[in-house]
Amino acid sequence: MEEYRYVKIYDDIWQIQEEDGVFCTLLKGKEKAILWDTGYGNWNLRAFVEKNVDTPYIVINSHGHPDHCLGNHWFDTVYAKKAEWDIIKYFTKEERKEPVRIQLKEISAGMEMDLGGMTAKVVDLEGHTKGSIGLLIPERRLLLAGDAMNNGSLTKAP
């Protein structure tokens, strides 16, 4: 099994590196955690998270492109903006060649999650895709933006 490499941006915020320059982010509050994006998911991301987090956690997709959601298959439930559900289901089915078994749950702009010592607020970042979102961490003056802060264009599922 391949091992994930990571860099601690802060003691409680880790950037997890996958292959081909793909990254996920782990936010580790005192009471809850968030896995932000799941990459390609070629290695057991769930095992990595559960080895390194001792609180309940949720998984959130910034948007539905394959390098951000194909690792969803390691988890039972993933949160995403409803506008991304079709593209997440499409890419998961096409790339993984299996039916989508995860339960998608809706997340929307304005939602705030208290992780214990850290707050994560969902913000709209439409543009890269119609449902791109970001996570604002006010205590760190940090915005996790997925791909929303690049020059890519709106993409729809075929």
Side-chain angles (χ1 to χ4, degrees):
M1 177 181 101
E2 295 285 340
E3 259 314 300
Y4 282 99
R5 286 176 271 152
Y6 63 92
V7 173
K8 290 184 180 182
I9 307 302
Y10 294 96
D11 284 339
D12 53 3
I13 301 176
W14 296 8
Q15 189 173 44
I16 305 164
Q17 184 174 358
E18 232 186 22
E19 54 208 336
D20 299 326
V22 172
F23 295 89
C24 312
T25 305
L26 185 60
L27 305 168
K28 297 170 51 168
K30 294 174 183 153
E31 298 170 17
K32 295 178 187 167
I34 294 174
L35 176 64
W36 176 252
D37 286 332
T38 61
Y40 288 121
N42 292 328
W43 310 321
N44 190 336
L45 187 54
R46 182 180 192 148
F48 176 85
V49 170
E50 292 179 358
K51 175 181 171 186
N52 291 288
V53 170
D54 55 7
T55 63
Y57 66 91
I58 65 169
V59 179
I60 303 174
N61 289 151
S62 62
H63 65 289
H65 286 160
D67 56 329
H68 294 264
C69 75
L70 286 185
N72 288 357
H73 71 97
W74 293 109
F75 304 94
D76 301 321
T77 303
V78 175
Y79 289 81
K81 196 166 177 188
K82 200 165 193 172
E84 293 296 294
W85 288 10
D86 287 343
I87 198 166
I88 289 169
K89 290 176 185 176
Y90 172 81
F91 282 123
T92 302
K93 182 179 177 188
E94 288 300 307
E95 299 287 333
R96 290 266 168 230
K97 307 290 187 222
E98 60 189 46
V100 178
R101 292 189 178 92
I102 58 157
Q103 179 182 9
L104 288 171
K105 288 196 173 181
E106 187 172 8
I107 198 164
S108 55
M111 291 179 75
E112 278 191 29
M113 293 156 276
D114 181 358
L115 306 180
M118 183 185 332
T119 307
K121 182 176 180 179
V122 179
V123 295
D124 274 328
L125 293 176
E126 295 176 7
H128 183 65
T129 67
K130 61 184 175 180
S132 290
I133 57 171
L135 275 186
L136 180 63
I137 316 303
E139 296 86 355
R140 301 291 189 269
R141 298 175 51 128
L142 177 67
L143 174 66
L144 302 179
D147 285 344
M149 304 295 276
N150 70 26
N151 61 3
S153 61
L154 183 69
T155 305
K156 296 181 181 177

